[in-house]
Amino acid sequence: MDKKKHDAHQHDKKAEAHSEENVELTQPLSDADRIKELEEALAAKGLESAANWDKYLRERADLENYRKRVQKEKEEILKYGNEQIVLEVLPALDNLERAIEHASEEDPIIEGVRLTLSMLLSTLKKFGVTPIETPQGTPFDPQYHQAMTQVPAPDQEPNTIVNVFQKGYMINDRLLRPAMVTVAVKA
């Protein structure tokens, strides 16, 4: 029995010595050190938070720019998506106009050609295609006209349109095809 008490007492002493070692290893920091440590951690988290906020704002701006770009592209496709097919149709339109110009008024077919031309123009107008009006004497504008030749025209101001070889067309306020014209020069 005494031996058991002695062993237990020895065991308690070892436990106390061991806990004193642990106490020395995990000695609590002073309040000032603890506050300093917390302030440093807080500052680090503050910097991380600011970096994340900046990253969020940049990502948000990128997303907003992407949405605007996609919306603009979508509008462009809706407005100008049929540009190529209209360009392919314009020579047929030119030929109908030439047929009307060169036909005699008594020809019964010409009325059908006029109706076809009128229907085609109204259909193109629904898609935003309109002819460029270039009456004789209009000042030459290189944004809408393509000069094919220059001719002396004593009855017109220089740099005005004398004749139109081929009509020009706009699609939704964008030039589709310039008008091919003859331009007056000083005689």
Side-chain angles (χ1 to χ4, degrees):
M1 192 75 164
D2 286 339
K3 188 174 180 184
K4 280 187 179 178
K5 281 185 182 177
H6 180 71
D7 286 346
H9 185 68
Q10 287 296 329
H11 182 69
D12 288 344
K13 280 186 178 177
K14 283 183 183 176
E16 281 180 22
H18 186 66
S19 75
E20 284 178 6
E21 286 175 11
N22 282 343
V23 169
E24 287 177 12
L25 290 176
T26 59
Q27 188 176 22
L29 298 173
S30 68
D31 288 344
D33 289 342
R34 182 73 180 143
I35 289 172
K36 185 178 177 184
E37 182 180 295
L38 289 173
E39 286 176 346
E40 288 173 358
L42 181 63
K45 291 296 178 187
L47 289 174
E48 184 181 340
S49 173
N52 285 339
W53 179 252
D54 185 54
K55 194 174 178 182
Y56 166 75
L57 290 178
R58 288 176 189 273
E59 293 294 328
R60 184 84 182 161
D62 284 347
L63 181 64
E64 191 60 34
N65 288 338
Y66 173 75
R67 282 186 187 152
K68 286 179 183 175
R69 190 174 60 242
V70 167
Q71 182 64 28
K72 187 176 178 182
E73 287 174 359
K74 188 177 173 183
E75 289 172 5
E76 292 275 321
I77 288 170
L78 288 174
K79 280 177 96 175
Y80 306 110
N82 52 7
E83 186 175 325
Q84 286 302 314
I85 192 165
V86 171
L87 278 171
E88 295 294 323
V89 169
L90 289 181
L93 200 69
D94 295 335
N95 287 336
L96 290 174
E97 288 175 340
R98 285 185 197 114
I100 291 170
E101 280 178 21
H102 294 1
S104 66
E105 288 297 322
E106 295 96 34
D107 193 351
I109 295 176
I110 204 67
E111 188 59 33
V113 174
R114 278 196 183 105
L115 286 173
T116 304
L117 178 65
S118 174
M119 288 173 60
L120 194 54
L121 284 172
S122 69
T123 301
L124 290 175
K125 191 174 182 179
K126 288 178 187 173
F127 291 97
V129 179
T130 54
I132 298 172
E133 298 300 329
T134 48
Q136 188 176 11
T138 303
F140 176 77
D141 185 350
Q143 288 184 340
Y144 302 107
H145 307 129
Q146 181 178 354
M148 299 304 293
T149 183
Q150 293 180 323
V151 294
D155 57 332
Q156 281 192 223
E157 292 289 319
N159 209 26
T160 57
I161 294 171
V162 176
N163 190 17
V164 178
F165 285 121
Q166 190 178 54
K167 272 188 179 177
Y169 287 89
M170 304 283 290
I171 182 167
N172 295 318
D173 300 328
R174 181 195 283 182
L175 182 66
L176 184 61
R177 184 179 81 180
M180 294 181 180
V181 297
T182 303
V183 181
V185 292
K186 201 169 193 177

